[in-house]
Amino acid sequence: MQLGEEGVPIQVDGEAWIQPPGIIRIIHKNRMKMLCRNRALESSLKTWQEKQRQQQLLPRRSCTPQNLEFSAEETQLLLGFIEATATLIKCVKLLTLRHPTIKADLYELAVRCSDNLEKVHPGGKILQGIELRPLLTELVSTTRELHEEACLMLREKGPTLRIREDFENQLSNALSNMESEFRKCSVAVATETGQTLVYLIQPPETDEKKGGRGGRGLFWKFRREKGGGSSGRAGREVASWGVAEVGVWLESLQLSEYAEAFSRHDVRGRELLTLTRRDLKDLGITKVGHVKRILQAVRELAM
């Protein structure tokens, strides 16, 4: 209710007006839906963009019906991919069954991936013939989607799931091994049909592989130990991180855009623990919020 003789300026949505004395009835108080930031959607979009970028970086070659068949070497690589995929599917299914709070979509994706695996490896034997190549392509696509969704879920809900240590190590190793298998996948384009197909090629050995340590596995293990209050142990493990582990850590902070800068300057675990505000400036990180977030996370790493 507005009392008095003079009107007051009011603006609800659009152009303002002078409201004369009278009674104002508010109908939708506390009932309007407001837009809010969807961090899960942002993470999914970043994952999708990274997937598209990686697809563009994959080696491409043309293929003909003659080389749709699998060589002996590629068959051996396929067996490794099948084993890693089966392990990941098993771990994801167990995770969703033990933790009902995880969305059912992840379990359904694991089932779809399992169905595609059965088409490639029916009855425990690799399918023969040129039909295998398109089926492998579909399997790689669904397995990559399962891997990305599982990683996203663990980044968001990992600290609250209370996963048993032995199963956490098993799941971590499954995800890390799957990443290694994806590096063996290259994209090929059929010259006649233009269909995109997947070939398996042994990649050159990298320093990360020589180190024998999976980035995600180490990160998730550290998060569990941090929650358990093991003072000093986490800091010692962080000091042994490589560039890949630091990149995963940045991704967990939703600051993956700085992973390239950290890698270019060879920032490893030992350097990460001693980062200062000046160091971040030299790395090109100038946003106050990002600087504070990284410094706070570094302090937590050293606890």
Side-chain angles (χ1 to χ4, degrees), residues 19-36:
Q19 176 66 39
I23 298 176
I24 300 177
R25 183 183 178 188
I26 301 176
I27 299 177
H28 293 287
K29 182 180 180 181
N30 298 330
R31 292 172 57 186
M32 299 299 292
K33 293 183 178 180
M34 305 297 293
L35 296 177
C36 62

Side-chain angles (χ1 to χ4, degrees), residues 33-241:
K33 293 183 178 180
M34 305 297 293
L35 296 177
C36 62
R37 184 176 182 180
N38 191 331
R39 295 187 180 275
L41 177 60
E42 291 179 2
S43 299
S44 298
L45 288 175
K46 287 182 179 179
T47 301
W48 181 83
Q49 291 171 352
E50 179 64 20
K51 176 181 177 181
Q52 298 301 313
R53 188 183 68 83
Q54 291 177 357
Q55 289 286 356
Q56 294 175 357
L57 295 177
L58 287 175
R60 292 178 175 266
R61 61 178 180 178
S62 61
C63 62
T64 60
Q66 287 74 19
N67 62 15
L68 289 178
E69 297 285 351
F70 280 67
S71 64
E73 180 182 1
E74 190 176 12
T75 300
Q76 290 298 319
L77 294 177
L78 177 57
L79 288 173
F81 187 90
I82 290 173
E83 181 180 358
T85 301
T87 302
L88 177 61
I89 293 172
K90 177 183 177 181
C91 289
V92 171
K93 286 184 175 180
L94 288 174
L95 181 66
T96 55
L97 292 175
R98 293 177 180 178
H99 301 276
T101 57
I102 298 176
K103 57 184 180 180
D105 294 346
L106 190 61
Y107 182 83
E108 294 175 358
L109 182 57
V111 171
R112 182 154 56 93
C113 189
S114 180
D115 293 340
N116 289 334
L117 179 61
E118 180 62 25
K119 295 177 183 177
V120 172
H121 200 232
K125 296 182 180 180
I126 296 178
L127 183 69
Q128 300 298 319
I130 61 175
E131 297 84 2
L132 177 59
R133 185 75 62 187
L135 293 176
L136 171 63
T137 302
E138 180 65 22
L139 175 62
V140 171
S141 176
T142 53
T143 305
R144 189 184 296 275
E145 184 179 357
L146 177 64
H147 179 274
E148 292 172 351
E149 289 297 325
C151 290
L152 177 62
M153 184 277 301
L154 288 171
R155 284 196 297 269
E156 294 177 347
K157 299 184 178 180
T160 63
L161 289 179
R162 300 182 180 274
I163 303 175
R164 280 172 33 191
E165 180 179 353
D166 57 341
F167 182 69
E168 180 182 0
N169 291 333
Q170 183 181 357
L171 177 60
S172 177
N173 290 333
L175 290 167
S176 180
N177 291 338
M178 205 68 245
E179 287 182 351
S180 300
E181 294 300 321
F182 287 143
R183 286 193 286 270
K184 301 176 184 177
C185 300
S186 64
V187 175
V189 180
T191 53
E192 295 183 356
T193 63
Q195 183 181 10
T196 301
L197 301 173
V198 169
Y199 278 73
L200 298 177
I201 301 175
Q202 182 64 50
E205 189 175 8
T206 61
D207 294 338
E208 180 181 352
K209 185 176 180 181
K210 292 177 182 178
R213 185 185 296 272
R216 297 185 186 275
L218 177 63
F219 176 65
W220 288 333
K221 184 178 180 182
F222 157 69
R223 283 208 305 198
R224 173 183 50 75
E225 290 181 348
K226 177 184 172 185
S230 54
S231 177
R233 189 187 311 171
R236 289 193 296 271
E237 286 202 356
V238 173
S240 66
W241 283 6

